Amino acid sequence: MHVVMFGDQHAETLGGAQVSMRLQRRFLEKAGHTVTIVAPRRHGRRSAQHSEDPGYADLPSIPVTLDREYSMTWPSARADRAVDAVMAGRLPVDIVHVQGDFWGAFLGLRFARRHGLPVVFTFHNRVDVGIRAVAPFPDLVLRVLNRWGRRALSEPADAGADGWAYLRMLAASADAVTAPSAHFARRLEARRVAPHVDVVWNGIDDDELALALSSPRGLPESRSPRLVWVGRMSPEKRLIPFLEAVVASGIDADIEVIGNGAQRAAAQRVAERARASVFFLGSLPYRETLRRIRSADALVQTSIGFETQGMTIFEAATLGTPSIVCDPDLVAELGSGVWAVPDDETATLAEVLRCAVADIRDGAAPVPDPSIAERFRQSSRTAAMLDVYEAARARHAER
């Protein structure tokens, strides 16, 4: 079949949803299917990369961050024409898979309507938590967002104007809805976003997993314990609270921070006060990121209430690396191989960091569930998504 994915950001930019889309595409193509990813065109120094890739259908866009990593395509009638133009030579299409929450969602849903196509909608993000973390007047932003969405999709007014009302509006046109974790799927159902949400984890590349597992575990005993933090440097990811906890803990450890974002300079200023050695590595290739997670003594995941899966902790568990986790939903989903942080206080995280470093030095670190390695492989996740596609096509045909 020909699967067309719509995203808010180009699949080659930073972000868990983008990594997932790249992996989905690769393994769908390995299974004999065709994938086209429709998203805003990239800007900046890396914009020419992948520009000739036939799997990408790039739309006219404007950059929306100072580092020009992210961009947007305003979902207007003109943008609809641009979508139809880039897809004109790629028809027919069998299914539309929407994996964005904003302009990507609007453009994807409208494309599906124009062409009478079935829709699978994957929710990767907690819109309400993300907006509350970055917007100065989140309630106003959510009201405007709901009004904007209803107008863009010609949907009737919902009973609310919060983040859940917005997600309900997006899901209304879908033939199937998926989420990358059980806890997020059950929350979507409880909030009436969809009567049933299929759980399909974001996976890890089978081939890259094999390579990473062939690399050494840990570092020589003479080295300090090494903790790695991976993510976008924005408020909802809570990098700065993590570094403040590192300062408060007084731990003697090596801290690697992988990623980039608007808070990098502020984070570096906090890190200068730490006893630990903190290394800001910037954005790394997927393979190198996996290698560093594999060789670390622990991965640190500090966001609370925002992650719909917490992909890096599953990557870590798959590679045999335990995690320090602040979100109780993620702790429950992971099961084992975790140091749980019971609240959002800096002092509490600092104490857990001290305990984790002590456990690592004593050889008493918790062990991740070995079954995650098989359940997290992208090949198994693609097989599960293909079942969802077939169910959505059948449901759409019955309408």
Side-chain angles (χ1 to χ4, degrees), residues 168-179:
R168 281 193 292 272
M169 174 189 61
L170 294 180
S173 300
D175 297 286
V177 175
T178 78

PDB file of all heavy atoms in Angstrom, residues 168-179:
ATOM      1  N   ARG A 168      -9.885  15.873  20.874  1.00  0.00           N
ATOM      2  CA  ARG A 168     -11.138  15.252  20.434  1.00  0.00           C
ATOM      3  C   ARG A 168     -11.507  15.719  19.039  1.00  0.00           C
ATOM      4  O   ARG A 168     -11.970  14.936  18.199  1.00  0.00           O
ATOM      5  CB  ARG A 168     -12.272  15.568  21.410  1.00  0.00           C
ATOM      6  CG  ARG A 168     -12.258  14.732  22.671  1.00  0.00           C
ATOM      7  CD  ARG A 168     -13.564  14.859  23.434  1.00  0.00           C
ATOM      8  NE  ARG A 168     -13.753  16.187  23.993  1.00  0.00           N
ATOM      9  CZ  ARG A 168     -13.298  16.555  25.190  1.00  0.00           C
ATOM     10  NH1 ARG A 168     -12.612  15.705  25.947  1.00  0.00           N
ATOM     11  NH2 ARG A 168     -13.535  17.770  25.642  1.00  0.00           N
ATOM     12  N   MET A 169     -11.302  17.002  18.781  1.00  0.00           N
ATOM     13  CA  MET A 169     -11.615  17.557  17.471  1.00  0.00           C
ATOM     14  C   MET A 169     -10.743  16.914  16.393  1.00  0.00           C
ATOM     15  O   MET A 169     -11.230  16.542  15.323  1.00  0.00           O
ATOM     16  CB  MET A 169     -11.390  19.067  17.498  1.00  0.00           C
ATOM     17  CG  MET A 169     -11.537  19.762  16.156  1.00  0.00           C
ATOM     18  SD  MET A 169     -10.996  21.461  16.288  1.00  0.00           S
ATOM     19  CE  MET A 169      -9.279  21.246  16.764  1.00  0.00           C
ATOM     20  N   LEU A 170      -9.455  16.733  16.672  1.00  0.00           N
ATOM     21  CA  LEU A 170      -8.564  16.129  15.688  1.00  0.00           C
ATOM     22  C   LEU A 170      -8.935  14.674  15.421  1.00  0.00           C
ATOM     23  O   LEU A 170      -8.873  14.197  14.283  1.00  0.00           O
ATOM     24  CB  LEU A 170      -7.112  16.216  16.175  1.00  0.00           C
ATOM     25  CG  LEU A 170      -6.502  17.613  16.292  1.00  0.00           C
ATOM     26  CD1 LEU A 170      -5.066  17.513  16.794  1.00  0.00           C
ATOM     27  CD2 LEU A 170      -6.540  18.367  14.973  1.00  0.00           C
ATOM     28  N   ALA A 171      -9.329  13.962  16.478  1.00  0.00           N
ATOM     29  CA  ALA A 171      -9.623  12.537  16.332  1.00  0.00           C
ATOM     30  C   ALA A 171     -10.965  12.265  15.675  1.00  0.00           C
ATOM     31  O   ALA A 171     -11.219  11.133  15.238  1.00  0.00           O
ATOM     32  CB  ALA A 171      -9.580  11.862  17.699  1.00  0.00           C
ATOM     33  N   ALA A 172     -11.814  13.280  15.590  1.00  0.00           N
ATOM     34  CA  ALA A 172     -13.188  13.062  15.112  1.00  0.00           C
ATOM     35  C   ALA A 172     -13.230  12.495  13.697  1.00  0.00           C
ATOM     36  O   ALA A 172     -14.145  11.742  13.343  1.00  0.00           O
ATOM     37  CB  ALA A 172     -13.979  14.371  15.183  1.00  0.00           C
ATOM     38  N   SER A 173     -12.245  12.835  12.866  1.00  0.00           N
ATOM     39  CA  SER A 173     -12.251  12.386  11.472  1.00  0.00           C
ATOM     40  C   SER A 173     -11.465  11.098  11.250  1.00  0.00           C
ATOM     41  O   SER A 173     -11.386  10.618  10.118  1.00  0.00           O
ATOM     42  CB  SER A 173     -11.665  13.486  10.570  1.00  0.00           C
ATOM     43  OG  SER A 173     -12.414  14.682  10.653  1.00  0.00           O
ATOM     44  N   ALA A 174     -10.870  10.549  12.296  1.00  0.00           N
ATOM     45  CA  ALA A 174      -9.989   9.400  12.129  1.00  0.00           C
ATOM     46  C   ALA A 174     -10.762   8.086  12.111  1.00  0.00           C
ATOM     47  O   ALA A 174     -11.765   7.930  12.808  1.00  0.00           O
ATOM     48  CB  ALA A 174      -8.951   9.376  13.244  1.00  0.00           C
ATOM     49  N   ASP A 175     -10.274   7.154  11.328  1.00  0.00           N
ATOM     50  CA  ASP A 175     -10.829   5.797  11.311  1.00  0.00           C
ATOM     51  C   ASP A 175     -10.160   4.915  12.357  1.00  0.00           C
ATOM     52  O   ASP A 175     -10.694   3.856  12.703  1.00  0.00           O
ATOM     53  CB  ASP A 175     -10.648   5.192   9.924  1.00  0.00           C
ATOM     54  CG  ASP A 175     -11.415   5.968   8.863  1.00  0.00           C
ATOM     55  OD1 ASP A 175     -12.645   5.853   8.820  1.00  0.00           O
ATOM     56  OD2 ASP A 175     -10.759   6.717   8.105  1.00  0.00           O
ATOM     57  N   ALA A 176      -9.001   5.302  12.833  1.00  0.00           N
ATOM     58  CA  ALA A 176      -8.310   4.606  13.915  1.00  0.00           C
ATOM     59  C   ALA A 176      -7.400   5.607  14.607  1.00  0.00           C
ATOM     60  O   ALA A 176      -6.865   6.524  13.969  1.00  0.00           O
ATOM     61  CB  ALA A 176      -7.504   3.423  13.403  1.00  0.00           C
ATOM     62  N   VAL A 177      -7.238   5.443  15.912  1.00  0.00           N
ATOM     63  CA  VAL A 177      -6.381   6.317  16.715  1.00  0.00           C
ATOM     64  C   VAL A 177      -5.377   5.443  17.448  1.00  0.00           C
ATOM     65  O   VAL A 177      -5.736   4.402  18.010  1.00  0.00           O
ATOM     66  CB  VAL A 177      -7.199   7.145  17.723  1.00  0.00           C
ATOM     67  CG1 VAL A 177      -6.282   7.960  18.631  1.00  0.00           C
ATOM     68  CG2 VAL A 177      -8.166   8.072  16.987  1.00  0.00           C
ATOM     69  N   THR A 178      -4.103   5.847  17.432  1.00  0.00           N
ATOM     70  CA  THR A 178      -3.075   5.114  18.162  1.00  0.00           C
ATOM     71  C   THR A 178      -2.323   6.057  19.087  1.00  0.00           C
ATOM     72  O   THR A 178      -2.311   7.276  18.886  1.00  0.00           O
ATOM     73  CB  THR A 178      -2.068   4.414  17.224  1.00  0.00           C
ATOM     74  OG1 THR A 178      -1.126   5.376  16.723  1.00  0.00           O
ATOM     75  CG2 THR A 178      -2.761   3.719  16.073  1.00  0.00           C
ATOM     76  N   ALA A 179      -1.676   5.461  20.087  1.00  0.00           N
ATOM     77  CA  ALA A 179      -0.813   6.182  21.018  1.00  0.00           C
ATOM     78  C   ALA A 179       0.408   5.320  21.299  1.00  0.00           C
ATOM     79  O   ALA A 179       0.327   4.083  21.239  1.00  0.00           O
ATOM     80  CB  ALA A 179      -1.554   6.499  22.313  1.00  0.00           C
TER      81      ALA A 179
END
